[in-house]
């Protein structure tokens, strides 16, 4: 289910939107043609001679806040991705239903809604699965006349560079290209062959089991140098993890510094030793005497007089942790680490990738390339996968970025295994994050005063755009409709709630949603609204997977879920519906009410009984949910005073105060705001203190999610065509998109199993089992499936030039080179 903020992947792409993605699609506009249904409509025209643009009046699109990651590699919000999309071209071409167009160079005629549409694009695609050897071969053949906006030709070398950028072990963007079974991918990323990888994986375990101060002998299967290297790596990674605890406490628990170490955060931030002391105290490895300000460590009873500036170091902290746990494995198993990946697992990867390449079988050369990615000619690239992966075609259909701009041409020589940058160093790629360049319809000129300025790409292979200037203007959701109404915005995507409908109608003389001032288009959104819970930040004890931790989160989820209908109905009316699984209803894999095993999410109590009965009214349900939450919290270890009806004490690792962020422009304008408000009211009445944070700038939430410091939040996912779940839920992904911090081996296996089959029925059943695990973890409360709304200015945009039959998978920008403004 590749998701994004809107979490869209590069290419077909997924990105996480906790607001609403502007151009995820809408229903069709008034048709540009009225001929018979069999008429063929050219959606992507043949090459044309470059001519003077017909309009220099800018097309102004209204957007919510940008994060300024305008990179085909690193964009991770829906708005940033769409800012990039205008400048890029994709290898893959898809039609209005999301199906792959395999012959895009000459074009394919595919019917939709009674009309034939011709789809053209950058590349043809051949896919061949050879059952005899269990391998799948993908062959891209690109046009030979496509130029980047700076006039340089797009070739297979740019594809190779882009693939290697996304495959580099230092890559930390949203793409999960590295996760599909491309032959040689793991070997390249670890710089070891499969045989050597397995050898050093086993060697790490043997050395680790030998323990510290081990005397290496000739009988051992490792050398003294390898033993010393492993010990140094383990110590280094353990120290890094302890430092991560210190930094995590500073980022998340600064308000408690004065209580725990006697100094406020602003003072501690100026002295690293105070930060370390605070980290030790907050993590239970020491205690500070309030009067003397002497820190006494928990295990070794070492004292540090903070008042005399006798501060502990990270090494002191590590010594305390080591004394407590004895070895890194026990520490890792205890769940002390604030990082996504176990420090022991990190240490093993470092050991394999540093010591493995030294193996004699590799002759000191490591692994020079990815065996399954081959350049066949200047216009052909072939990718070979082990087995079959249903999600692969969409991951391979990347945006092709220019080597000469994002890479270093002097470091590119395909025949010599040089791919435009030094292995492990993407600094040049990251340096261009705010200024994209590609072969798309427009060139991004500048981002200034919250406006992105574009100019037409005269080299665009489909022809120079008819409208020369485009602006993406940042603003609040509340100002989008009025912006179109008064003429400061030409196209935008307001939240299509009841108030929005009334406002749109007020501008049109016919009092309808489409009229003389505003034209409205709607389709089902390729995504859904949800409320998230970070399992590492909302748990009991140290184990986020324990039943006690799940019961705590299920208590919260039960309260949040019961108020969904009230909140969504009041905000969207008939334009949204409640969903019970964390997947968009637009996906073929989404569970339906008629499916066996379908359940209302979070509708059973701690003993597995149904909370609600058919004769309950809304108020009855609210009370029943509250009582069920009390039982869940008691099972989680919270102390409940029946006389006062309040919880008085939280178990270790949990607390009575949590924060929920709703990015509602500081004014409560969000579909889940009522849910969050009633959640706070209910929990506050039970003795909790729920902090409801409604920031005016949604980047407050994005930054906290990136730092893995948020507890609960309201947002929306945008998905892509294939329902692959790897990016968001698999424990081995490195995209920083698993904001829930769910780590479940059974879930991991189901995600991979679903990828390996082309049987849609099997995949749907497998994804249903995976969704049930996510619900059991209670880290994501599915809220709503809504309609996307796109509104155009009827007075300034020539609607006959906007692509017809907009769908969930076919955005209005697909033919943006044809869009013209009305010059009055």
């Amino acid at each position: 289910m590749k998701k994004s903020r809107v979490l869209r992947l590069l290419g077909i792409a997924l990105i996480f939107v906790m607001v609403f993605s502007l151009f995820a699609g809408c229903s069709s506009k008034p048709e540009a043609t009225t001929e018979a249904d069999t008429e063929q409509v050219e959606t992507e025209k043949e090459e044309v001679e470059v001519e003077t643009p017909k309009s220099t009046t800018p097309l102004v699109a209204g957007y919510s806040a940008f994060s300024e990651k305008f990179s085909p590699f690193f964009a991770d919000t829906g708005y940033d991705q769409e800012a990039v999309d205008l400048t890029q071209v994709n290898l893959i071409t898809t039609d209005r239903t999301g199906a792959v167009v395999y012959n895009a160079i000459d074009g394919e005629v595919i019917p939709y809604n009674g009309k034939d549409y011709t789809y053209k694009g950058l590349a043809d695609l051949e896919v061949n699965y050879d059952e005899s050897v269990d391998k799948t071969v993908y062959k891209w053949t690109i046009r030979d006349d496509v130029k980047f906006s700076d006039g340089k030709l797009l070739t297979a070398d740019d594809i190779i560079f882009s693939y290697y950028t996304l495959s580099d072990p230092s890559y930390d963007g949203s793409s999960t290209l590295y996760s599909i079974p491309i032959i040689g991918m793991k070997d390249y990323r670890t710089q070891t062959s499969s045989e050597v990888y397995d050898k050093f994986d086993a060697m790490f375990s043997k050395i680790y089991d030998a323990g510290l101060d081990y005397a290496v002998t000739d009988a051992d299967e490792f050398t003294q140098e390898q033993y010393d290297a492993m010990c140094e790596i383990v110590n280094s990674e353990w120290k890094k993890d302890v430092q991560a605890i210190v930094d995590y406490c500073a980022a998340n628990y600064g308000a408690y510094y004065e209580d725990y170490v006697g100094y406020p955060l602003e003072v501690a931030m100026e002295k690293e030793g105070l930060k370390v002391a605070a980290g030790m105290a907050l993590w239970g490895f020491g205690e500070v005497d309030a009067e003397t300000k002497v820190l006494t460590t928990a295990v070794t009873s070492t004292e540090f007089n903070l008042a005399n500036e006798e501060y502990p170091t990270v090494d002191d902290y590590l010594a305390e942790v080591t004394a407590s746990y004895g070895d890194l494995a026990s520490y890792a198993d205890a769940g002390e680490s604030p990082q996504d990946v176990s420090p022991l697992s990190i240490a093993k990867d470092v050991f394999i990738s540093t010591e493995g390449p030294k193996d004699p079988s590799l002759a000191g050369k490591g692994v020079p390339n990815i065996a399954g990615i081959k350049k066949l000619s200047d216009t052909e690239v072939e990718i070979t996968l082990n087995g079959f992966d249903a999600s692969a075609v969409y991951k391979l259909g990347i945006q092709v970025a220019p080597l000469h701009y994002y890479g270093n041409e002097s470091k590119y020589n395909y025949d010599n295994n040089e791919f435009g940058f030094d292995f492990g160093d993407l600094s040049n790629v990251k340096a261009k994050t705010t200024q994209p360049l590609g072969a798309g319809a427009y060139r991004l000129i500048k981002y200034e005063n919250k406006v992105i300025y574009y100019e037409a790409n005269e080299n665009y292979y489909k022809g120079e755009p008819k409208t020369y200037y485009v602006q993406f203007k940042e603003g609040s959701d509340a100002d989008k409709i009025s912006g179109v109404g008064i003429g400061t915005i030409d196209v935008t995507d307001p939240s299509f709630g009841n108030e929005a409908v009334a406002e749109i109608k007020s501008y049109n003389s016919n009092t309808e949603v489409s009229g003389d001032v505003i034209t409205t288009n709607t389709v089902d959104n390729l995504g859904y609204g949800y409320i998230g819970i970070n399992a590492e930040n909302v748990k009991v004890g140290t184990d986020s997977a324990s039943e006690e931790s799940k019961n705590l989160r299920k208590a919260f989820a039960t309260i949040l879920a019961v108020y969904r209908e009230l909140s969504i109905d009041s905000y969207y009316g008939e334009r949204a519906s409640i969903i019970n699984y964390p997947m968009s209803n637009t996906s073929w894999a989404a569970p339906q009410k008629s499916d066996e095993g379908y359940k209302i999410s979070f509708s059973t109590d701690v003993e597995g009984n149904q909370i609600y009965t058919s004769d309950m009214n809304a108020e009855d349900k609210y009370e029943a949910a509250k009582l069920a939450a009390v039982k869940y919290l008691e099972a989680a270890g919270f102390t409940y005073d029946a006389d006062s009806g309040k919880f008085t004490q939280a178990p270790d690792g949990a607390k009575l105060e949590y924060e929920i962020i709703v990015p509602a422009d500081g004014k409560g304008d969000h579909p889940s705001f009522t849910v969050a408000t009633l959640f706070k009211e209910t929990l506050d009445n039970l003795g909790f203190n729920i902090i409801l944070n409604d920031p005016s700038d949604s980047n407050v939430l994005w930054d906290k999610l990136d730092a893995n410091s948020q507890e609960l939040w309201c947002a929306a996912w945008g998905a892509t065509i294939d329902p692959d779940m790897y990016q968001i839920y698999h424990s081995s992904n490195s995209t920083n998109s698993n904001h829930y911090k769910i780590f479940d081996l059974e879930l991991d296996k189901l995600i991979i199993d679903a990828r390996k089959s082309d049987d849609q029925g099997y995949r749907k059943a497998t994804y249903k089992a995976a969704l049930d695990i996510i619900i059991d973890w209670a880290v994501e409360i599915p809220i709503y499936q809504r309609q996307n709304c796109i509104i155009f200015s009827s007075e300034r945009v020539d609607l006959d030039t906007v692509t017809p039959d907009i769908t969930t998978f076919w955005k209005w920008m697909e033919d943006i080179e044809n869009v013209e403004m009305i010059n009055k």
Side-chain angles (χ1 to χ4, degrees), residues 660-670 673 692-697:
I660 182 168
I661 292 185
V662 190
D665 290 335
K667 57 185 75 171
D669 186 11
H670 190 284
F673 190 79
L692 200 167
N693 184 355
D694 174 9
S696 58
D697 183 355

Side-chain angles (χ1 to χ4, degrees), residues 115 268 305 777:
K115 288 186 173 62
N305 191 325
W777 270 70

Side-chain angles (χ1 to χ4, degrees), residues 90-105:
N90 293 334
L91 272 178
I92 198 169
T93 301
T94 55
D95 68 8
R96 282 170 169 78
T97 67
V100 176
V101 177
Y102 290 92
N103 301 294
I105 293 179

